[in-house]
Amino acid sequence: MSKTNTSMEKIVSLAKRKGFVYPGSEIYGGFANSYTYGPYGVQLKNNIKNLWWHWFVEKRADMVGIDGTILLHPKTWKASGHVDTFNDPMVDCKDCQARHRADHLVEDKYEGNVDGLSLAELDEKITDFGVKCPKCGGTNFTKARQFNLMFQTQMAKTGEESIAYMRPETAQAIFLEFKNVVDSTRVKVPFGIGQIGKAFRNEITPGNFIFRVLEFEQMEIEYFVHPEEWKEHFESWVQAMYEWCELIGLDKKKIHELEVEGDALAHYSDRTVDFEYEFPFGVKELYGCAYRTDFDLGNHQRESGKTLEYRDPQTNEKYLPHVIEPTFGVDRTVLAVLSEAYEDETLDDGSVRTVLHFKPALAPVKIAVLPLMKKDGLPEKAQEILRKVQVFGNCEYDQTGAIGKRYRRQDEVGTPVCITVDYDTLEDDTVTVRDRDTMEQKRMLIGELLNYLSDNYFVY
Ligand code: GAP
């Protein structure tokens, strides 16, 4: 058996064909860079979010969770620095009106770090390198200018007060609720608050399928520590992020740690380590771990006039905790998991099967129950078994087509186990259990199924 390289086209095509991800608003001709998660996609995405929540929030004594709003008080974004500094440099092509990230236009040709270039330097490099518009090939660009990535919306109020921002990161709701969480729960520093939710960015050059979109989801942790202890917590969160990558089945060899330097650091960060992943279109940022110091709590304290200091119950020391922020994009996780799982496997007989090797915890369908024939009491027996194995999550029943074809259908959506019900089942209460990855089949008693499945597949 051999494995071929996975291309982005194959993933996008499978995603559409099998109902993982559809292009958004397709019946109206599409709405650029928006995507709908289909029936299998939403299962996969929910499994990722549920596993993350279980792993980082429920299983840890030093973590709690919140669910904040997308629209926060507009002063939040002034205090957080997003109104003034959450910008990307943009140029327009005067010939075809396409908009581009100025830094992206020069990054392939410039040997230094493009994040450190001023607007004037970007203009100079665009001219010196003879950069062509990626859309029309022209060289007639406007001057580079800063473009704020926050989406604005109108509230039913007048004047300045009417503007609200769609949050560009989930993190800020956590900072706003820091005091409430400390006052209403028994957490003590060091502790963290986790949150999963939508974020919105008016990206100048979105693309690469669900990698860079305007509306996406984040799973974020703000971990509050004593200022003198940030280094050890930072290291331990970097390790915890590697463990998560392993848990969801990403190959460690495809993950590259990038120490973000100088001007490339976000405005709130004193240190950031990016987790880059070998996506089919190149090595790009998957996750990040940032040391946000007391930047956010300090700014919100100043802007709101409310003290956000923490008092250590043992020493009575009062201080603003510092923050370590491990951040995980949900959509990029879906894309990485799909890329890692995808295989066009050439079998010994020369045929090719497409298979998604999802970790069982992430698989959209856990188990498929397949009666060999749709008569003679086999469907009823299979339905009985289906009801039993549904304790493991979303399961499917399929009685249509040749059994080999039904196995292939399940392989393509990454179902770890198929259970086949045949005439012997009616005689001796045994079934065939087929493993997706090895394609090996085992005969076993229905009474042994639940233990076998939980011991071998659905444990984490
Ligand atoms: N709170 C910190 C923060 O938002 P970030 O690096 O800007 O940091 C965090 O974003 C993560 O969100 C990224 O590592 C990535 O996984 C995801 N992300 C950011 N922008 C995205 C976009 N336009 N589309 C999809 N995912 C995105």
Side-chain angles (χ1 to χ4, degrees):
M1 289 187 269
S2 67
K3 193 171 168 162
T4 55
N5 272 343
T6 307
S7 72
M8 201 56 197
E9 292 76 45
K10 283 182 177 173
I11 290 172
V12 175
S13 150
L14 177 101
K16 166 101 198 274
R17 189 162 41 83
K18 301 306 292 185
F20 281 91
V21 183
Y22 310 124
S25 309
E26 216 180 5
I27 62 164
Y28 285 107
F31 191 52
N33 303 296
S34 71
Y35 295 93
T36 300
Y37 285 85
Y40 289 125
V42 69
Q43 283 294 144
L44 173 62
K45 189 151 85 124
N46 284 344
N47 291 341
I48 288 169
K49 291 191 285 184
N50 290 340
L51 184 63
W52 186 91
W53 192 260
H54 182 60
W55 188 253
F56 286 120
V57 180
E58 294 174 346
K59 276 182 83 159
R60 292 181 60 131
D62 59 347
M63 286 286 305
V64 291
I66 64 160
D67 183 17
T69 52
I70 285 169
L71 301 176
L72 297 169
H73 193 293
K75 282 186 179 168
T76 307
W77 306 108
K78 186 74 193 149
S80 69
H82 284 80
V83 170
D84 295 324
T85 52
F86 195 54
N87 303 317
D88 278 336
M90 180 173 76
V91 292
D92 294 348
C93 169
K94 289 189 198 163
D95 295 336
C96 72
Q97 276 71 52
R99 293 194 143 167
H100 304 289
R101 281 271 296 266
D103 50 340
H104 287 180
L105 290 181
V106 298
E107 70 188 350
D108 289 345
K109 303 181 179 73
Y110 180 59
E111 285 183 356
N113 182 355
V114 286
D115 296 302
L117 296 176
S118 67
L119 292 176
E121 285 167 330
L122 283 167
D123 286 335
E124 200 182 290
K125 300 276 174 271
I126 288 173
T127 311
D128 290 354
F129 296 144
V131 170
K132 292 195 168 56
C133 169
K135 193 164 170 215
C136 73
T139 53
N140 195 9
F141 294 106
T142 60
K143 292 236 171 291
R145 61 198 184 281
Q146 294 294 1
F147 177 77
N148 192 281
L149 300 188
M150 280 199 295
F151 275 103
Q152 283 186 20
T153 188
Q154 294 290 123
M155 312 267 286
K157 292 180 183 168
T158 50
E160 272 275 294
E161 295 246 299
S162 68
I163 294 173
Y165 299 98
M166 315 275 278
R167 66 180 177 198
E169 60 169 2
T170 56
Q172 293 303 325
I174 298 180
F175 295 123
L176 299 198
E177 303 310 337
F178 167 74
K179 199 93 181 83
N180 275 335
V181 172
V182 169
D183 292 346
S184 61
T185 69
R186 300 176 61 216
V187 292
K188 288 184 184 56
V189 170
F191 77 93
I193 305 178
Q195 186 180 208
I196 300 178
K198 289 263 184 182
F200 301 82
R201 292 184 193 178
N202 206 353
E203 299 280 2
I204 300 165
T205 44
N208 284 325
F209 194 38
I210 52 175
F211 177 81
R212 182 172 284 111
V213 278
L214 310 186
E215 175 181 343
F216 55 98
E217 279 184 275
Q218 293 182 320
M219 309 181 282
E220 296 204 294
I221 293 165
E222 307 307 319
Y223 197 77
F224 301 93
V225 303
H226 190 281
E228 279 162 23
E229 293 171 1
W230 76 268
K231 283 194 178 131
E232 60 241 47
H233 288 292
F234 190 94
E235 295 311 325
S236 103
W237 275 107
V238 167
Q239 283 320 308
M241 292 179 82
Y242 274 116
E243 281 162 31
W244 163 256
C245 291
E246 194 185 335
L247 186 72
I248 60 172
L250 302 185
D251 182 351
K252 200 170 175 198
K253 291 197 285 300
K254 291 193 191 158
I255 295 166
H256 305 273
E257 223 178 284
L258 175 81
E259 186 73 47
V260 180
E261 309 271 8
D263 290 337
L265 281 169
H267 63 274
Y268 49 72
S269 177
D270 263 22
R271 185 182 174 198
T272 295
V273 167
D274 277 350
F275 280 61
E276 297 194 318
Y277 176 75
E278 290 177 24
F279 288 100
F281 50 85
V283 179
K284 298 276 176 205
E285 177 189 333
L286 171 64
Y287 302 142
C289 186
Y291 169 44
R292 289 183 82 130
T293 67
D294 58 356
F295 178 88
D296 301 273
L297 288 183
N299 285 348
H300 289 307
Q301 180 167 266
R302 235 184 336 274
E303 187 77 27
S304 67
K306 306 269 164 26
T307 176
L308 297 179
E309 278 185 339
Y310 173 79
R311 190 181 57 79
D312 187 303
Q314 241 106 56
T315 63
N316 271 333
E317 185 191 359
K318 272 185 156 186
Y319 60 92
L320 270 186
H322 281 210
V323 169
I324 309 298
E325 179 195 61
T327 176
F328 307 72
V330 177
D331 308 74
R332 287 188 193 177
T333 308
V334 171
L335 187 54
V337 164
L338 272 173
S339 316
E340 188 83 48
Y342 187 100
E343 182 179 12
D344 279 332
E345 188 184 9
T346 305
L347 304 175
D348 293 339
D349 66 2
S351 64
V352 175
R353 72 163 181 154
T354 298
V355 53
L356 293 176
H357 297 285
F358 292 135
K359 287 274 189 176
L362 300 187
V365 180
K366 305 296 177 200
I367 298 160
V369 184
L370 319 171
L372 198 59
M373 309 293 277
K374 34 180 158 170
K375 56 181 185 180
D376 302 328
L378 294 183
E380 291 75 12
K381 191 72 184 167
Q383 289 284 352
E384 218 178 90
I385 294 168
L386 176 73
R387 283 192 290 278
K388 280 195 210 310
V389 296
Q390 277 170 335
V391 291
F392 295 114
N394 186 44
C395 295
E396 274 190 3
Y397 172 85
D398 183 5
Q399 59 174 29
T400 320
I403 193 72
K405 278 211 167 132
R406 283 186 263 167
Y407 286 149
R408 291 287 176 275
R409 263 204 298 267
Q410 295 300 331
D411 291 342
E412 263 196 310
V413 297
T415 309
V417 185
C418 288
I419 298 174
T420 310
V421 175
D422 56 24
Y423 286 104
D424 286 342
T425 311
L426 303 180
E427 300 291 316
D428 59 9
D429 249 14
T430 60
V431 286
T432 299
V433 176
R434 180 221 186 233
D435 180 86
R436 174 198 64 203
D437 296 340
T438 62
M439 293 186 287
E440 270 170 19
Q441 305 191 4
K442 276 193 171 59
R443 197 77 195 171
M444 73 177 60
L445 283 164
I446 295 170
E448 291 170 354
L449 263 180
L450 294 189
N451 276 347
Y452 176 79
L453 294 170
S454 81
D455 287 351
N456 291 281
Y457 294 93
F458 304 108
V459 276
Y460 48 80

